[in-house]
Amino acid sequence: VGRWASLRNGEARKVLWAGCAGRRRTMRSSARASVRPRAGAVCASASFASILFAPSFALDCAAAAFARRELCAPRGIPQASPPPVHEDVETILFTEAQIGAGIDRVAREVTAAYRGTGFTVVSVLKGSCVFASDLIRRIPIPLELAFVSASSYGSGVESGTLEVNFFPAESEIRGRDLLLVDDILDTGRTLARLVDEMKRRGARSVRTCVFLDKPARRATSFVADYRVFEVEDLFVVGYGLDFAGHYRNLPYVGALKRECYERPRSPAGR
């Protein structure tokens, strides 16, 4: 079998076809030689042929299958391995595969809701940029993309005063159906205020879609229209979510170690 793997693609193909064709010719010749013999001779001839040719033919087929695998296998391409867990992450809550499956599900729901109508996806910066980019690539219907910047966390772990830095242009809001996309829904204050402001500026309808929903932290009665995952009351980072500007680039969602967000932060520039 080893010689099949050493042949180049064209040579192996020729040898394989020649071998299979030769076996077929041999078996056909054997069958013709046993035409109309006595009944006992037919049985004996068939049994002899099966003993003589079947093992060799099976070996040829096994060699051919092995050669196909060897010749078609990609060379020099490393196999994907799970990303290393960041030293500040206590545990991984949602893997890349789970995130992809969850976004697929939500994208189908959004597509069904907006099919036949033009709409605008409004990504709430900065946290939702990763989620929003993956979401819109899974939505196969026409849409527009806009951004709004609102922040309430600063560098701490408690919600503070909401600051809205900029809104989309009026032409992107007035008379449009909007889908506000955010990274996490916890207290609900940020999205509630943004929804009210979008409606005040003339949006025809406003729905919300969040990557993570943390109902244990809710301080309002706000409920998102779409959500990918519900999460416990943990400090989560990764896949766009940060702590003091860090960890957004992690490809998974993990729970940050308590000592990481409770320890004093170094002064800026040090």
Side-chain angles (χ1 to χ4, degrees), residues 94-133:
F94 304 108
T95 65
E96 288 186 80
Q98 290 172 319
I99 291 171
I103 297 176
D104 285 342
R105 171 180 51 81
V106 171
R108 289 192 296 268
E109 296 173 0
V110 172
T111 300
Y114 286 100
R115 189 179 297 278
T117 62
F119 73 109
T120 300
V121 173
V122 182
S123 172
V124 182
L125 299 176
K126 301 178 184 175
S128 75
C129 63
V130 178
F131 170 46
S133 64

Side-chain angles (χ1 to χ4, degrees), residues 88-91 235-237 243 247 254-258 260-261:
D88 294 342
V89 172
E90 184 72 37
T91 184
F235 201 99
V236 290
V237 294
F243 171 63
Y247 313 109
L256 193 64
K257 292 179 180 178
R258 180 177 292 273
C260 293
Y261 59 82

Side-chain angles (χ1 to χ4, degrees), residues 153-269:
Y153 275 87
S155 296
V157 298
E158 295 295 330
S159 296
T161 302
L162 179 68
E163 295 182 2
V164 178
N165 301 317
F166 67 85
F167 272 82
E170 182 179 353
S171 60
E172 296 175 304
I173 298 177
R174 184 168 300 278
R176 298 283 298 175
D177 294 312
L178 306 182
L179 179 66
L180 270 175
V181 177
D182 206 356
D183 56 352
I184 187 167
L185 173 61
D186 48 13
T187 65
R189 294 191 183 101
T190 299
L191 278 181
R193 178 175 170 182
L194 288 177
V195 168
D196 290 343
E197 185 63 22
M198 294 294 180
K199 290 180 177 178
R200 190 184 69 82
R201 295 187 180 216
R204 182 166 58 186
S205 69
V206 183
R207 297 182 186 180
T208 55
C209 177
V210 297
F211 177 55
L212 298 181
D213 185 9
K214 193 187 292 186
R217 292 264 300 165
R218 197 78 80 251
T220 67
S221 59
F222 190 89
V223 177
D225 296 285
Y226 309 97
R227 70 178 183 185
V228 179
F229 300 115
E230 181 177 321
V231 67
E232 298 178 7
D233 190 12
L234 302 169
F235 201 99
V236 290
V237 294
Y239 197 72
L241 294 111
D242 77 306
F243 171 63
H246 301 287
Y247 313 109
R248 293 190 193 274
N249 58 322
L250 297 181
Y252 52 79
V253 174
L256 193 64
K257 292 179 180 178
R258 180 177 292 273
E259 59 265 27
C260 293
Y261 59 82
E262 288 186 345
R263 66 191 176 196
R265 305 295 296 176
S266 299

Side-chain angles (χ1 to χ4, degrees), residues 26-102:
T26 304
M27 294 181 74
R28 284 197 297 268
S29 298
S30 175
R32 284 195 298 270
S34 60
V35 173
R36 296 177 182 171
R38 292 188 304 274
V42 172
C43 296
S45 177
S47 299
F48 178 75
S50 64
I51 294 172
L52 180 62
F53 297 116
S56 180
F57 184 70
L59 180 60
D60 278 350
C61 291
F66 176 82
R68 284 196 300 270
R69 288 196 301 270
E70 289 297 312
L71 292 170
C72 297
R75 302 294 182 182
I77 301 178
Q79 297 297 315
S81 57
V85 180
H86 195 283
E87 61 182 0
D88 294 342
V89 172
E90 184 72 37
T91 184
I92 292 179
L93 302 176
F94 304 108
T95 65
E96 288 186 80
Q98 290 172 319
I99 291 171

